[in-house]
Amino acid sequence: LLAARAPLDARDERGDTPLIIAAANGRHAVLETLLAHQPDLNVRDRAGDTALIAASRGGHAKICRLLIGAGANRALRNKAGASARDVAAERGFGVIVSELAAG
């Protein structure tokens, strides 16, 4: 993707960017590579989900920490009104809830 100089904000049919896809799937190495190119951390898909919300939904605590450390806005809510913390709590991911509450 990057070698082909594809734009970091390219979207699929759901409105997902490479950042959101990597976060949702727990792809740490891919996410680190994308972050080195300074993408918009708070970009949203069609449902209003950010990469942080997607990572929270998947239970990817390490990805959440990486996104928070890079400056992702943990207060943003999707179109359903849920924040990353709300999504993590709903799914029983207490470690992520705690990390999102800190700070």
Side-chain angles (χ1 to χ4, degrees), residues 45-72:
D45 66 13
R46 288 189 182 148
D49 287 344
T50 63
L52 185 57
I53 293 171
S56 294
R57 180 174 289 111
H60 304 298
K62 189 174 181 181
I63 299 295
C64 290
R65 281 191 292 277
L66 186 60
L67 289 166
I68 291 166

Side-chain angles (χ1 to χ4, degrees), residues 14-46:
R14 291 179 1 121
D16 289 337
T17 63
L19 184 75
I20 293 172
I21 294 168
N25 291 293
R27 305 297 299 205
H28 191 268
V30 173
L31 195 69
E32 283 186 323
T33 300
L34 291 169
L35 290 175
H37 291 84
Q38 302 178 332
D40 179 355
L41 297 175
N42 300 309
V43 66
R44 298 168 183 263
D45 66 13
R46 288 189 182 148

Side-chain angles (χ1 to χ4, degrees), residues 1-10 18 33-34 37:
L1 179 71
L2 295 173
R5 298 184 188 254
L8 290 178
D9 59 354
T33 300
L34 291 169
H37 291 84

